[in-house]
Amino acid sequence: MPDTVTPTSDLLPRLRAVLGEGAVLSDPDSLTFFGQDVHSIGAPLLAVIRPVSRETLVGALKLLHQLGVAVVPRGGGMSYSNGYLADSPGAVLVDTGGLDRIIEINADDMYVVAEAGTTWAALDAALAPLGLRTPFWGPFSGIRATLGGTMSQNAVTYGTGTFGTAVDSLLGLEVALADGSVLRTGSWAQANSVPFFRHYGPDLTGLFSGDAGAMGIKMAVALRLIRRRPINTGISFGFQTFDQLLGAMAAVAREGVASEAFGLDPFLQKQRLGMGDLKSDLKMLLAVGRAGRGPIESLWQMAKIVIAGRGFLDGINYSAHYTVDASDRDEERSMLRRIRAAAEPFGREIENSMPTLVRAYPFPPLNHILGPKGERWVPVHGILPFSRVAAFRADLDALYARHAAEMTRHKILAAAMFSTIATNGFLYELAFYWEDERAALHDRILEPDAAKNLPRYPANPDGAALMRQLKQECVALYAKHGAAHLQVGRLYPVTDAMNPMTREVLGAVKAKVDGTGLMNPGALGL
């Protein structure tokens, strides 16, 4: 049975004894910052702990379990689905950012092991000089997003077009359970093996990935390695209608040659081209120059972008952007030929400035957590089979029509971004913007120059209430069309719609690894 010690009088000193004085935060600013995500604010936290070793994390979990204190794990903190927001007051949040060692890069056996708080940007920087990378090598937010947080949430972006989501690159996990027990998965679980292979018996790695931290806290992650291909090229297309964009993106996805594929609607095209200032533009342009294959090609790429300016999408309603990674010029030409053959029946090729910039500067500062005019921003997404996208979009248009007057009155704008996942998934990501006050998270994450150039707005409770309603209605609409989701957290109804036996088995696993229900209670609907 848990002790009856009063947490506020006894817990914090005992945590400091285990973790060290600086690893336990209880000041109001820290509790406020860590107690919110991009969109919402959770129940008040008792404390935030930031262990700097896996051993001290295990010790802290044993103590918290003994005292009956709920634990909420957090990675980079850039989600919006309440994944690390406490359900009720008095939880302790575990910030895994202090676990940031790269443990092993094995170029012979082609795997890497890193602690869960390592960012994707840091991992990629360590692998690049060796000519290596992971198949999936990070989300747009990789400057802050951590390996452990990503494996708990799952994610897409770099490498997704050919290699799928983040968890598709996983080989194994080291996980601390609620009571401080430690398990490993895949071949890593074997006494005389190493984390080189995932599927040795039932796939336990899968049970602990995409789990929103409900099953345990990732302490270390093992990922597959591949050779980094020396040639990278972008190619872009413009379309007049969404149906043309969808047709092209589906056709290109089926070719399986684009490393990344993303599309923008008219609003996001203008936003992406309108954001930034001279300083950030120059930073990105210099990144393009550094990424070139030599001084002549670097200058040529920079000149093309300058000449195209921000008007290369004039007259284009929708755009799709692709990158390919090739071993040599022949492979590059073959890949581009296949993309052109798939996309050209639907639209026309345009300047490739956008994929060139994205790849040259893959992990930019996260100034997009606010809109271009300082508005609040929140995304909502779903992954659909290509055959169901049109019906979903028709229902979405009807939803927007029903709320048009209210959205206009409260200045809520809706946009969308699109990605393809391997050959079989279409990610339809909505983005909403509305005028409202900033949260502490925005002030902490925005670059100072970006923050001072954006206006502030007063609190807008009516607009925020409508935004919450729209968010829930969109989630229900995705469920109606059978969508899957990343970063499930407490937002997406993964367990509500499950086959009953599937839910029962998942609940049994949860009961085994977290019998007292103290590990991220409420995540996944468990």
Side-chain angles (χ1 to χ4, degrees), residues 117-130:
T118 306
T119 66
W120 288 98
L123 179 64
D124 191 61
L127 294 174
L130 304 175

